[in-house]
Amino acid sequence: RRQNWQGRGKYKEPETPDTEGLPALPEGWTYATVEQLGIVGEQAVLTGPFGTNLTSADFTDSGVPVLTISCLKDTGIKMEKADFVSENKAVELERYRLAPGDLLFSRMASVGRAGIVGESLRGALFNYHIMRLRLEPSVLLAKFYLAYVRGASQVEQYLKEVNHGATRAGINTEQLLHMPVVLPP
């Protein structure tokens, strides 16, 4: 990471995961955080636009898809519940455009539902109830991270510990950045 950072100002080392209470790993395996796995120079975890950036008045019957929390299913991303905005609005929200390989993670209600963005969703947007993860593919392929999120007891336990909200479960960007991830050699 540090080597890839050269020429971009002072480098800030991502925090290492808190492994207290986590199971021992086989030789050669290690724990990392989502932040450590992010693409250098990109925001590893980004929450979708909210407030006046994207309101119900912006939605149209067709145009650029905006993925909602209802689009994230246990089996992946489904478009039946997507909203749409005009191309002009999408240009205003450029930083929220999706790229193939991005991971989407529900941050409210059904916390932890996840899906991988495919080529057909290139340029689509996502709303405030979803966080986008951009992980370094040379370190961890998105499909392996997705399998880990959907099946590891450590993820389930971590989400239970950090979930907050009096009436509705939720996780914030900082908590997702610090989530421990198991990495094979």
Side-chain angles (χ1 to χ4, degrees):
R1 290 185 57 84
R2 191 175 292 114
Q3 183 178 359
N4 290 338
W5 187 260
Q6 291 176 343
R8 300 177 193 211
K10 185 174 168 122
Y11 178 74
K12 180 186 176 279
E13 190 74 42
E15 287 186 36
T16 58
D18 176 5
T19 58
E20 187 176 322
L22 293 176
L25 296 174
E27 187 174 329
W29 290 63
T30 189
Y31 285 105
T33 62
V34 169
E35 183 177 23
Q36 289 175 308
L37 300 174
I39 294 176
V40 173
E42 299 241 6
Q43 194 167 345
V45 176
L46 179 66
T47 300
F50 60 95
T52 58
N53 290 322
L54 184 62
T55 68
S56 58
D58 294 316
F59 296 121
T60 60
D61 291 333
S62 63
V64 177
V66 178
L67 302 180
T68 67
I69 198 166
S70 298
C71 295
L72 286 179
K73 306 292 183 189
D74 290 332
T75 56
I77 301 169
K78 305 294 180 200
M79 296 301 294
E80 295 84 28
K81 302 279 184 161
D83 290 323
F84 297 89
V85 295
S86 69
E87 184 59 45
N88 287 341
K89 185 63 182 180
V91 168
E92 288 177 33
L93 300 172
E94 191 65 35
R95 77 182 292 230
Y96 304 101
R97 295 268 193 164
L98 296 170
D102 284 348
L103 285 145
L104 301 181
F105 193 90
S106 62
R107 63 181 298 269
M108 304 178 104
S110 299
V111 175
R113 276 199 183 147
I116 299 174
V117 173
E119 185 61 43
S120 66
L121 292 175
R122 178 187 293 275
L125 302 163
F126 58 103
N127 77 1
Y128 177 70
H129 298 108
I130 296 175
M131 289 188 275
R132 185 222 63 214
L133 286 72
R134 234 175 228 160
L135 304 179
E136 176 53 59
S138 66
V139 176
L140 181 66
L141 294 176
K143 65 181 179 179
F144 294 123
Y145 180 82
L146 183 63
Y148 176 70
V149 166
R150 288 184 177 162
S153 60
Q154 295 98 312
V155 172
E156 190 176 318
Q157 184 61 36
Y158 180 79
L159 292 175
K160 282 180 185 173
E161 288 173 12
V162 300
N163 258 333
H164 62 277
T167 59
R168 185 180 220 184
I171 185 172
N172 65 38
T173 303
E174 202 66 26
Q175 291 165 329
L176 187 55
L177 280 170
H178 294 110
M179 185 173 87
V181 178
V182 176
L183 285 182

